[in-house]
Amino acid sequence: MSSMHFQPPSRDAVKNKFITSMSMLLIVISLYVTCYMLFFRTVEVDVTRDAGIEYRGEDGSASVRVINRNQNYNQRIQEFMDSITYEVTPAKRLKNNDVLTITAKYDETLASRYHVNPVAVTRKVTVENLPERFADVSEIPASFLKKLDERTKSYLNKNMDQILDEDFTSFFIRSEVELVDQKQIYRVFLDGKKSSAKDKIIDIYAITAKGEVNTSSKKETLKVKEDTIYYMITYNEINTSLSILDENVYGEKLIINDALDMNKENQFIDFMKSKYKSMYELHIMKSSV
């Protein structure tokens, strides 16, 4: 019967087992730390840092809104960030150098669930760079007025079919109205006397077209004639931003009586003063009469 002898593990075997055990321990610790960092560690989040401030209007009468632009956070807290809304005071009748108070509102349940500690919940912001009204009509850049010339032409080209169909009411209803001529006769700057009356630039065009007119009261006797209407394109909110929103551009036919001669500047000025009452100071910028 052979005898059995216990052989202790070699030094290399012990070393390998130790390295393996330590490696496994480090992996476990690393997983624990990662799990803690991702899911359990309380993190501080500046909830007003990425608040998006959007102004509307000009110095003295502007308004503001604050929107949530919190994006590109890690998946853990993005749901919380998406819950943030903002309140801002004051929000209307703003002028440059006013101080706004922005306050963040958020879902407290989500903050607790994702271990978020919101900081900088309130932030002070100074209003700046609001566009201002021109102190004098002479301050309006010539380059801006040239752009308005092109925009007026574009507006008329785009809307001419509708103008011919709807605004030439003297022609027979089934008449095919044709454009004969269009000519700018005035450009006017309306300087608002109150903050609620926005400064405007107005282009006045004489538009001539031809169409059929019924010349008999007894039967349908049609004859081609020409007629001229006066059309006004208004650019609202003229200020140092030198930008015009599409919603601030509109056109309309001027309703005038037969006795008014639009080619006489004094009569035109009286008409415009009557139309806008005492809200504006009127300045003729361009006249071709």
Side-chain angles (χ1 to χ4, degrees):
M1 182 176 179
S2 61
S3 60
M4 298 181 62
H5 299 281
F6 173 75
Q7 294 183 349
S10 66
R11 180 174 296 180
D12 288 341
V14 172
K15 182 178 179 181
N16 289 337
K17 286 184 178 181
F18 176 77
I19 292 174
T20 300
S21 298
M22 291 302 296
S23 297
M24 293 298 295
L25 179 61
L26 289 174
I27 291 173
V28 171
I29 292 173
S30 177
L31 289 173
Y32 175 81
V33 171
T34 301
C35 184
Y36 173 78
M37 294 293 289
L38 289 177
F39 300 105
F40 299 106
R41 180 176 64 95
T42 298
V43 294
E44 289 189 347
V45 175
D46 185 336
V47 290
T48 56
R49 184 188 67 183
D50 296 327
I53 303 174
E54 296 182 353
Y55 296 107
R56 178 71 180 273
E58 57 195 17
D59 185 37
S61 61
S63 60
V64 65
R65 70 168 185 161
V66 182
I67 60 175
N68 184 351
R69 288 182 177 165
N70 295 307
Q71 294 180 348
N72 300 321
Y73 284 86
N74 63 60
Q75 188 175 1
R76 170 190 167 189
I77 65 171
Q78 187 62 56
E79 185 179 5
F80 164 77
M81 300 304 294
D82 291 342
S83 77
I84 297 173
T85 59
Y86 298 101
E87 293 180 356
V88 55
T89 56
K92 296 181 179 180
R93 298 180 181 178
L94 303 177
K95 60 183 182 298
N96 286 320
N97 297 318
D98 281 350
V99 177
L100 306 179
T101 300
I102 299 173
T103 304
K105 304 293 182 180
Y106 54 87
D107 190 317
E108 295 184 1
T109 300
L110 292 177
S112 176
R113 179 189 304 170
Y114 296 117
H115 303 279
V116 173
N117 177 29
V119 297
V121 175
T122 300
R123 186 181 296 272
K124 300 287 187 180
V125 175
T126 300
V127 179
E128 57 185 5
N129 298 323
L130 291 178
E132 300 176 0
R133 294 189 175 196
F134 291 104
D136 188 83
V137 63
S138 62
E139 295 181 359
I140 303 176
S143 58
F144 175 69
L145 297 177
K146 186 176 181 180
K147 289 181 179 179
L148 287 191
D149 289 337
E150 297 302 319
R151 191 155 182 178
T152 294
K153 292 177 183 178
S154 176
Y155 181 93
L156 289 173
N157 289 339
K158 180 180 178 181
N159 294 280
M160 186 55 70
D161 287 343
Q162 182 178 356
I163 293 171
L164 295 175
D165 288 341
E166 298 179 3
D167 292 324
F168 281 86
T169 55
S170 63
F171 295 137
F172 186 61
I173 192 170
R174 292 192 297 273
S175 175
E176 292 188 7
V177 183
E178 297 181 23
L179 177 66
V180 174
D181 188 30
Q182 60 184 44
K183 177 184 178 183
Q184 184 185 41
I185 56 174
Y186 297 106
R187 170 167 283 171
V188 178
F189 179 70
L190 295 182
D191 186 357
K193 295 182 179 180
K194 297 181 179 180
S195 61
S196 58
K198 305 302 182 184
D199 292 350
K200 309 175 189 292
I201 287 179
I202 294 177
D203 285 343
I204 306 293
Y205 268 71
I207 302 177
T208 301
K210 63 181 180 180
E212 293 178 319
V213 177
N214 190 2
T215 59
S216 174
S217 60
K218 296 181 179 180
K219 62 178 181 178
E220 190 175 289
T221 304
L222 302 180
K223 185 177 181 179
V224 175
K225 288 190 174 183
E226 291 187 357
D227 189 23
T228 298
I229 66 170
Y230 295 94
Y231 198 83
M232 178 173 77
I233 298 99
T234 300
Y235 297 97
N236 200 25
E237 291 197 30
I238 301 297
N239 52 48
T240 56
S241 70
L242 300 180
S243 63
I244 302 291
L245 300 176
D246 287 342
E247 64 195 61
N248 287 330
V249 182
Y250 49 91
E252 61 179 299
K253 174 186 175 181
L254 292 179
I255 307 301
I256 60 177
N257 60 54
D258 294 336
L260 177 63
D261 187 350
M262 291 287 283
N263 290 309
K264 293 182 178 179
E265 191 171 297
N266 61 327
Q267 292 191 31
F268 168 72
I269 291 174
D270 289 341
F271 169 77
M272 294 297 286
K273 287 182 177 179
S274 174
K275 180 177 177 64
Y276 290 100
K277 309 302 179 185
S278 59
M279 296 175 62
Y280 293 92
E281 187 75 28
L282 187 146
H283 303 272
I284 301 291
M285 302 179 69
K286 184 190 299 185
S287 173
S288 63
V289 298

